[in-house]
Amino acid sequence: MKKTLITAGLLAGLMPFAGSATANSGIGHVQKGIASYYHDSLHGRKTASGQVYNKHRLSAAHKTLPLGTRIRVTDARTGRSIVVRVNDRGPFAKGRIVDLSKEAAKELGIVDRGVARVALKVLSTPQQGS
């Protein structure tokens, strides 16, 4: 019985780490880092959510946020912001936290720069209502 309690205690202690990929995805969670945007060659390809990527629509890729999460992306330099829905996984370039659709990058004003320092704020997740 003592061994069972110790094992249960260890598992309970590890639980926050087991879900760390999505542990900080609640409404209001903020993440800061570098944003980039999808290359035009990806237009028309399927995303991780099963939707087809459309460079003319507002969408984003994030490594860990649940698919369907709505986020506000704010350019740290200009203060300009947009709201997008996460429908893909990525970015896979080191140091980047979000890949935006081409339209989202245009609206945010980062197309000419290619990348921008941003803050992401979770507005809603599929589990917490849209």
Side-chain angles (χ1 to χ4, degrees), residues 13-53:
L14 293 175
M15 290 304 270
F17 298 107
S20 64
T22 56
N24 291 326
S25 62
I27 292 174
H29 171 70
V30 175
Q31 182 181 14
K32 295 181 179 182
I34 303 296
S36 53
Y37 63 93
Y38 283 88
H39 190 272
D40 285 343
S41 66
L42 298 173
H43 180 73
R45 292 192 184 184
K46 273 197 175 181
T47 64
S49 68
Q51 296 174 339
V52 174
Y53 169 64

Side-chain angles (χ1 to χ4, degrees), residues 2-114:
K2 192 173 188 177
K3 186 176 182 180
T4 304
L5 290 175
I6 292 170
T7 303
L10 285 173
L11 289 175
L14 293 175
M15 290 304 270
F17 298 107
S20 64
T22 56
N24 291 326
S25 62
I27 292 174
H29 171 70
V30 175
Q31 182 181 14
K32 295 181 179 182
I34 303 296
S36 53
Y37 63 93
Y38 283 88
H39 190 272
D40 285 343
S41 66
L42 298 173
H43 180 73
R45 292 192 184 184
K46 273 197 175 181
T47 64
S49 68
Q51 296 174 339
V52 174
Y53 169 64
N54 184 334
K55 68 181 183 178
H56 304 293
R57 299 208 175 179
L58 299 178
S59 64
H62 191 278
K63 290 176 191 162
T64 59
L65 290 174
L67 296 174
T69 297
R70 284 182 47 239
I71 56 175
R72 177 178 312 281
V73 181
T74 303
D75 184 330
R77 189 174 89 181
T78 65
R80 200 173 194 175
S81 69
I82 55 160
V83 174
V84 294
R85 189 173 302 273
V86 175
N87 71 345
D88 203 7
R89 292 292 172 225
F92 300 107
K94 186 177 179 178
R96 298 190 187 168
I97 62 168
V98 68
D99 263 341
L100 300 171
S101 65
K102 183 87 174 258
E103 185 62 28
K106 280 182 188 175
E107 289 192 23
L108 196 57
I110 69 165
V111 171
D112 290 340
R113 288 184 278 159

